[in-house]
Amino acid sequence: MLKKLINRIKNKKISVCIIGLGYVGLPLAFRFLNAKINVIGIDSDIAKINKIKSGSSYIENKSFKKNKYYKEFQKKVSNNYTKVGDADVIILCLPTPLSKNNTPNMSLLKNCILKIKKFVKLNQTLILESTVYPGATLELFNLLNSDKKFILGKNFFLGFSPERENPGDKLFSYKSTPKVISGFSKQCLSIVYFLYKEICNKVYKANSIKVAELSKLLENTYRSVNIGLVNEFKIIAKKLNVNIWDIIDAAKTKNFGFRPFSPGPGVGGHCIPIDPIYLSWYMKNKNYNSKIIEISSTLNSSMPVWVCNQIFNYLKKNKIKTNKLLIIGLSYKKNTADTRESPSIDILRKFVNKKFHVEFYDPYVKKYDFESKYFNNKSLNLKSIKKYKKDGIIIIGTNHKNINYKNILENSKLIFDTRGVYSRNKNKKIIFV
Ligand SMILES: NC(=O)c1ccc[n+]([C@@H]2O[C@H](COP(=O)([O-])OP(=O)(O)OC[C@H]3O[C@@H](n4cnc5c(N)ncnc54)[C@H](O)[C@@H]3O)[C@@H](O)[C@H]2O)c1
């Protein structure tokens, strides 16, 4: 059976069903399509399905419309879970957010498993790409297999392969970045291996599913901790009246043992603010308090408040009376439209609460629905910037490319730069926060 399945993968005679067509799932679907592998797409969001069907992509920098397989794929996208039965491989790319009490919210994955349960059949392979706590992949399989009809490695196959998608980044992609893969058993791993070989240049076989799950958590915790450290250094530098960017520039000349991270207004997106908490929550259940993980998460999430306090104090100290704010960059990081957990939104909220008239400009975000009040993206022209020259402030919340920062500087009065877009400029109207 195994040999037959692997041969079918090698001969591209399989169907892959991807559930969750978001930042991870949709590009993954196109990787399989480009490898001439049949893809069935399932998403619970009708608006997204309609967008795919109408040919518009909701993921920036990814224009799929010209893809020669687009037409074929459009027909195979739906919210119909029965389609799972037509696939050989099912890949789950669903969100893994936090609940209100800051604990892992696995309900989307669990509900999905319960929905597909009656359509899943013998000899299929289930792969999870969502980021989860260690052991969660097997827990999900056990939920699927509550009637014990599947035996892993014999008549059903299970794998985990964490996604390393970096939205908005053209430099690193699945073409240059190795993909970590894992399987429940040798047989499971070989199916997962031959499948991903079809779409990746390099795959790395982790020793077990748990190793692969933890490797993703280590990667994102590493980022969270190092961003936390450099954010703390930003606070230290401010207290000592030294430019943080000058410090980083000097430190990064060391060509071993140091990797520069950029300070900012906090962290956002669906990974860095969330994934470390999946691990620390899990470890609490194992009677271990993950100290560094928790401290860096707390520090990063306190950064928007620190930024706002710096600005309010500056305005007070310098007797600047204004209630007009333009935020440049609303998404959580450069060159993406993703505003999930964005620190710019926290900053926006603080200023709205202080009765500021807030506008934003972001080349990627058309409008933002903030507590049922719509903020529209302002066009960034000379006139709109100059409005803030007379009386108003500008905050650089995200360092998107393709923004004329020179023009903004020349035509404004006071800029609070949270990202260092002016890191090498000594102009007095730039305040690094
Ligand atoms: N975005 C990233 O850069 C990134 C990178 C690496 C890993 N991840 C991980 O990948 C996973 C997915 O993240 P994402 O950013 O692609 O999320 P996303 O929100 O962009 O996409 C998830 C999709 O799943 C759909 N969905 C939700 N519940 C569903 C259900 N029950 N059935 C079918 N569809 C459903 C949503 O409508 C959405 O289109 C998360 O675990 C995340 O941590 C994300």
Side-chain angles (χ1 to χ4, degrees), residues 30 34 52 54-57 62-72 74:
F30 277 91
N34 287 337
I52 297 172
S54 69
S56 69
S57 167
K62 304 260 184 216
S63 171
F64 300 117
K65 213 171 172 178
K66 287 192 190 129
N67 188 291
K68 56 182 169 181
Y69 303 103
Y70 199 96
K71 278 213 155 69
E72 181 191 319
Q74 281 170 315

PDB file of all heavy atoms in Angstrom, residues 30 34 52 54-57 62-72 74:
ATOM      1  N   PHE A  30      -1.129  26.909  -4.224  1.00  0.00           N
ATOM      2  CA  PHE A  30      -0.528  27.222  -5.524  1.00  0.00           C
ATOM      3  C   PHE A  30       0.806  26.513  -5.743  1.00  0.00           C
ATOM      4  O   PHE A  30       1.179  26.233  -6.876  1.00  0.00           O
ATOM      5  CB  PHE A  30      -0.427  28.736  -5.718  1.00  0.00           C
ATOM      6  CG  PHE A  30      -1.737  29.270  -6.205  1.00  0.00           C
ATOM      7  CD1 PHE A  30      -2.693  29.718  -5.313  1.00  0.00           C
ATOM      8  CD2 PHE A  30      -2.052  29.238  -7.549  1.00  0.00           C
ATOM      9  CE1 PHE A  30      -3.927  30.150  -5.750  1.00  0.00           C
ATOM     10  CE2 PHE A  30      -3.291  29.675  -8.005  1.00  0.00           C
ATOM     11  CZ  PHE A  30      -4.235  30.132  -7.102  1.00  0.00           C
ATOM     12  N   ASN A  34       1.274  24.384  -8.991  1.00  0.00           N
ATOM     13  CA  ASN A  34       2.419  24.601  -9.876  1.00  0.00           C
ATOM     14  C   ASN A  34       3.223  23.324 -10.090  1.00  0.00           C
ATOM     15  O   ASN A  34       3.928  23.202 -11.083  1.00  0.00           O
ATOM     16  CB  ASN A  34       3.331  25.693  -9.315  1.00  0.00           C
ATOM     17  CG  ASN A  34       2.691  27.065  -9.467  1.00  0.00           C
ATOM     18  OD1 ASN A  34       1.823  27.263 -10.316  1.00  0.00           O
ATOM     19  ND2 ASN A  34       3.081  28.000  -8.629  1.00  0.00           N
ATOM     20  N   ILE A  52     -11.687  34.163  -4.321  1.00  0.00           N
ATOM     21  CA  ILE A  52     -10.883  33.238  -5.148  1.00  0.00           C
ATOM     22  C   ILE A  52     -11.634  32.960  -6.447  1.00  0.00           C
ATOM     23  O   ILE A  52     -11.069  32.989  -7.540  1.00  0.00           O
ATOM     24  CB  ILE A  52     -10.593  31.917  -4.401  1.00  0.00           C
ATOM     25  CG1 ILE A  52      -9.747  32.192  -3.154  1.00  0.00           C
ATOM     26  CG2 ILE A  52      -9.886  30.928  -5.310  1.00  0.00           C
ATOM     27  CD1 ILE A  52      -9.554  30.992  -2.245  1.00  0.00           C
ATOM     28  N   SER A  54     -13.744  34.839  -7.918  1.00  0.00           N
ATOM     29  CA  SER A  54     -13.808  36.003  -8.822  1.00  0.00           C
ATOM     30  C   SER A  54     -12.421  36.406  -9.316  1.00  0.00           C
ATOM     31  O   SER A  54     -12.262  37.354 -10.076  1.00  0.00           O
ATOM     32  CB  SER A  54     -14.470  37.184  -8.112  1.00  0.00           C
ATOM     33  OG  SER A  54     -13.593  37.648  -7.106  1.00  0.00           O
ATOM     34  N   GLY A  55     -11.413  35.700  -8.843  1.00  0.00           N
ATOM     35  CA  GLY A  55     -10.068  35.940  -9.372  1.00  0.00           C
ATOM     36  C   GLY A  55      -9.276  36.991  -8.625  1.00  0.00           C
ATOM     37  O   GLY A  55      -8.239  37.434  -9.100  1.00  0.00           O
ATOM     38  N   SER A  56      -9.756  37.418  -7.446  1.00  0.00           N
ATOM     39  CA  SER A  56      -8.952  38.428  -6.743  1.00  0.00           C
ATOM     40  C   SER A  56      -8.291  37.796  -5.520  1.00  0.00           C
ATOM     41  O   SER A  56      -8.922  37.040  -4.774  1.00  0.00           O
ATOM     42  CB  SER A  56      -9.813  39.625  -6.346  1.00  0.00           C
ATOM     43  OG  SER A  56     -10.720  39.261  -5.351  1.00  0.00           O
ATOM     44  N   SER A  57      -7.030  38.140  -5.338  1.00  0.00           N
ATOM     45  CA  SER A  57      -6.299  37.569  -4.208  1.00  0.00           C
ATOM     46  C   SER A  57      -6.426  38.505  -3.019  1.00  0.00           C
ATOM     47  O   SER A  57      -6.421  39.717  -3.171  1.00  0.00           O
ATOM     48  CB  SER A  57      -4.828  37.404  -4.583  1.00  0.00           C
ATOM     49  OG  SER A  57      -4.082  37.131  -3.416  1.00  0.00           O
ATOM     50  N   LYS A  62       0.819  38.545  -3.751  1.00  0.00           N
ATOM     51  CA  LYS A  62       0.569  37.243  -4.369  1.00  0.00           C
ATOM     52  C   LYS A  62      -0.540  37.422  -5.394  1.00  0.00           C
ATOM     53  O   LYS A  62      -1.702  37.474  -5.049  1.00  0.00           O
ATOM     54  CB  LYS A  62       0.118  36.206  -3.330  1.00  0.00           C
ATOM     55  CG  LYS A  62       1.069  36.024  -2.179  1.00  0.00           C
ATOM     56  CD  LYS A  62       1.921  34.802  -2.372  1.00  0.00           C
ATOM     57  CE  LYS A  62       2.791  34.599  -1.145  1.00  0.00           C
ATOM     58  NZ  LYS A  62       4.097  34.110  -1.363  1.00  0.00           N
ATOM     59  N   SER A  63      -0.136  37.596  -6.622  1.00  0.00           N
ATOM     60  CA  SER A  63      -1.143  37.689  -7.660  1.00  0.00           C
ATOM     61  C   SER A  63      -1.239  36.312  -8.319  1.00  0.00           C
ATOM     62  O   SER A  63      -0.350  35.905  -9.043  1.00  0.00           O
ATOM     63  CB  SER A  63      -0.732  38.762  -8.658  1.00  0.00           C
ATOM     64  OG  SER A  63      -1.594  38.686  -9.732  1.00  0.00           O
ATOM     65  N   PHE A  64      -2.323  35.629  -8.007  1.00  0.00           N
ATOM     66  CA  PHE A  64      -2.448  34.274  -8.531  1.00  0.00           C
ATOM     67  C   PHE A  64      -3.194  34.236  -9.858  1.00  0.00           C
ATOM     68  O   PHE A  64      -3.235  33.224 -10.518  1.00  0.00           O
ATOM     69  CB  PHE A  64      -3.201  33.401  -7.520  1.00  0.00           C
ATOM     70  CG  PHE A  64      -2.510  33.310  -6.196  1.00  0.00           C
ATOM     71  CD1 PHE A  64      -3.092  33.797  -5.056  1.00  0.00           C
ATOM     72  CD2 PHE A  64      -1.260  32.724  -6.118  1.00  0.00           C
ATOM     73  CE1 PHE A  64      -2.444  33.707  -3.839  1.00  0.00           C
ATOM     74  CE2 PHE A  64      -0.599  32.626  -4.906  1.00  0.00           C
ATOM     75  CZ  PHE A  64      -1.195  33.125  -3.760  1.00  0.00           C
ATOM     76  N   LYS A  65      -3.798  35.386 -10.159  1.00  0.00           N
ATOM     77  CA  LYS A  65      -4.716  35.422 -11.291  1.00  0.00           C
ATOM     78  C   LYS A  65      -4.053  34.937 -12.592  1.00  0.00           C
ATOM     79  O   LYS A  65      -4.675  34.260 -13.403  1.00  0.00           O
ATOM     80  CB  LYS A  65      -5.224  36.846 -11.472  1.00  0.00           C
ATOM     81  CG  LYS A  65      -6.633  36.881 -11.986  1.00  0.00           C
ATOM     82  CD  LYS A  65      -7.166  38.267 -11.956  1.00  0.00           C
ATOM     83  CE  LYS A  65      -8.503  38.314 -12.659  1.00  0.00           C
ATOM     84  NZ  LYS A  65      -9.079  39.634 -12.609  1.00  0.00           N
ATOM     85  N   LYS A  66      -2.772  35.284 -12.725  1.00  0.00           N
ATOM     86  CA  LYS A  66      -2.091  34.922 -13.974  1.00  0.00           C
ATOM     87  C   LYS A  66      -1.619  33.468 -13.949  1.00  0.00           C
ATOM     88  O   LYS A  66      -1.147  32.957 -14.959  1.00  0.00           O
ATOM     89  CB  LYS A  66      -0.890  35.848 -14.170  1.00  0.00           C
ATOM     90  CG  LYS A  66      -1.308  37.247 -14.577  1.00  0.00           C
ATOM     91  CD  LYS A  66      -0.118  38.055 -15.036  1.00  0.00           C
ATOM     92  CE  LYS A  66      -0.549  39.501 -15.192  1.00  0.00           C
ATOM     93  NZ  LYS A  66       0.323  40.416 -14.491  1.00  0.00           N
ATOM     94  N   ASN A  67      -1.740  32.826 -12.808  1.00  0.00           N
ATOM     95  CA  ASN A  67      -1.289  31.445 -12.711  1.00  0.00           C
ATOM     96  C   ASN A  67      -2.124  30.564 -13.642  1.00  0.00           C
ATOM     97  O   ASN A  67      -3.349  30.647 -13.662  1.00  0.00           O
ATOM     98  CB  ASN A  67      -1.434  30.959 -11.254  1.00  0.00           C
ATOM     99  CG  ASN A  67      -0.816  29.607 -11.062  1.00  0.00           C
ATOM    100  OD1 ASN A  67      -1.305  28.611 -11.574  1.00  0.00           O
ATOM    101  ND2 ASN A  67       0.282  29.570 -10.343  1.00  0.00           N
ATOM    102  N   LYS A  68      -1.425  29.719 -14.399  1.00  0.00           N
ATOM    103  CA  LYS A  68      -2.150  28.947 -15.423  1.00  0.00           C
ATOM    104  C   LYS A  68      -3.125  27.922 -14.830  1.00  0.00           C
ATOM    105  O   LYS A  68      -3.971  27.388 -15.515  1.00  0.00           O
ATOM    106  CB  LYS A  68      -1.186  28.302 -16.408  1.00  0.00           C
ATOM    107  CG  LYS A  68      -0.152  27.415 -15.811  1.00  0.00           C
ATOM    108  CD  LYS A  68       0.756  26.882 -16.921  1.00  0.00           C
ATOM    109  CE  LYS A  68       1.953  26.221 -16.289  1.00  0.00           C
ATOM    110  NZ  LYS A  68       2.887  25.693 -17.215  1.00  0.00           N
ATOM    111  N   TYR A  69      -2.960  27.651 -13.514  1.00  0.00           N
ATOM    112  CA  TYR A  69      -3.865  26.676 -12.904  1.00  0.00           C
ATOM    113  C   TYR A  69      -5.023  27.342 -12.170  1.00  0.00           C
ATOM    114  O   TYR A  69      -5.822  26.685 -11.530  1.00  0.00           O
ATOM    115  CB  TYR A  69      -3.093  25.786 -11.932  1.00  0.00           C
ATOM    116  CG  TYR A  69      -1.934  25.085 -12.599  1.00  0.00           C
ATOM    117  CD1 TYR A  69      -0.636  25.534 -12.402  1.00  0.00           C
ATOM    118  CD2 TYR A  69      -2.160  24.008 -13.439  1.00  0.00           C
ATOM    119  CE1 TYR A  69       0.422  24.911 -13.039  1.00  0.00           C
ATOM    120  CE2 TYR A  69      -1.106  23.376 -14.072  1.00  0.00           C
ATOM    121  CZ  TYR A  69       0.182  23.839 -13.874  1.00  0.00           C
ATOM    122  OH  TYR A  69       1.223  23.220 -14.496  1.00  0.00           O
ATOM    123  N   TYR A  70      -5.050  28.684 -12.223  1.00  0.00           N
ATOM    124  CA  TYR A  70      -6.039  29.422 -11.424  1.00  0.00           C
ATOM    125  C   TYR A  70      -7.474  28.996 -11.763  1.00  0.00           C
ATOM    126  O   TYR A  70      -8.268  28.703 -10.882  1.00  0.00           O
ATOM    127  CB  TYR A  70      -5.868  30.927 -11.655  1.00  0.00           C
ATOM    128  CG  TYR A  70      -6.506  31.750 -10.550  1.00  0.00           C
ATOM    129  CD1 TYR A  70      -5.754  32.208  -9.492  1.00  0.00           C
ATOM    130  CD2 TYR A  70      -7.864  32.040 -10.562  1.00  0.00           C
ATOM    131  CE1 TYR A  70      -6.318  32.933  -8.467  1.00  0.00           C
ATOM    132  CE2 TYR A  70      -8.451  32.761  -9.541  1.00  0.00           C
ATOM    133  CZ  TYR A  70      -7.665  33.201  -8.496  1.00  0.00           C
ATOM    134  OH  TYR A  70      -8.246  33.910  -7.479  1.00  0.00           O
ATOM    135  N   LYS A  71      -7.758  28.939 -13.050  1.00  0.00           N
ATOM    136  CA  LYS A  71      -9.141  28.623 -13.493  1.00  0.00           C
ATOM    137  C   LYS A  71      -9.576  27.267 -12.971  1.00  0.00           C
ATOM    138  O   LYS A  71     -10.686  27.102 -12.472  1.00  0.00           O
ATOM    139  CB  LYS A  71      -9.200  28.647 -15.029  1.00  0.00           C
ATOM    140  CG  LYS A  71      -9.345  30.043 -15.571  1.00  0.00           C
ATOM    141  CD  LYS A  71     -10.181  30.048 -16.854  1.00  0.00           C
ATOM    142  CE  LYS A  71     -10.833  31.392 -17.056  1.00  0.00           C
ATOM    143  NZ  LYS A  71      -9.842  32.434 -17.371  1.00  0.00           N
ATOM    144  N   GLU A  72      -8.654  26.331 -13.066  1.00  0.00           N
ATOM    145  CA  GLU A  72      -8.943  24.967 -12.636  1.00  0.00           C
ATOM    146  C   GLU A  72      -9.183  24.952 -11.111  1.00  0.00           C
ATOM    147  O   GLU A  72     -10.111  24.315 -10.617  1.00  0.00           O
ATOM    148  CB  GLU A  72      -7.698  24.159 -13.005  1.00  0.00           C
ATOM    149  CG  GLU A  72      -7.718  22.716 -12.715  1.00  0.00           C
ATOM    150  CD  GLU A  72      -6.302  22.155 -12.889  1.00  0.00           C
ATOM    151  OE1 GLU A  72      -5.597  22.539 -13.850  1.00  0.00           O
ATOM    152  OE2 GLU A  72      -5.922  21.348 -12.029  1.00  0.00           O
ATOM    153  N   GLN A  74     -10.172  27.486  -9.158  1.00  0.00           N
ATOM    154  CA  GLN A  74     -11.404  28.212  -8.790  1.00  0.00           C
ATOM    155  C   GLN A  74     -12.591  27.277  -8.651  1.00  0.00           C
ATOM    156  O   GLN A  74     -13.430  27.438  -7.786  1.00  0.00           O
ATOM    157  CB  GLN A  74     -11.720  29.265  -9.854  1.00  0.00           C
ATOM    158  CG  GLN A  74     -10.889  30.524  -9.732  1.00  0.00           C
ATOM    159  CD  GLN A  74     -11.087  31.406 -10.940  1.00  0.00           C
ATOM    160  OE1 GLN A  74     -11.072  30.922 -12.073  1.00  0.00           O
ATOM    161  NE2 GLN A  74     -11.266  32.685 -10.715  1.00  0.00           N
TER     162      GLN A  74
END
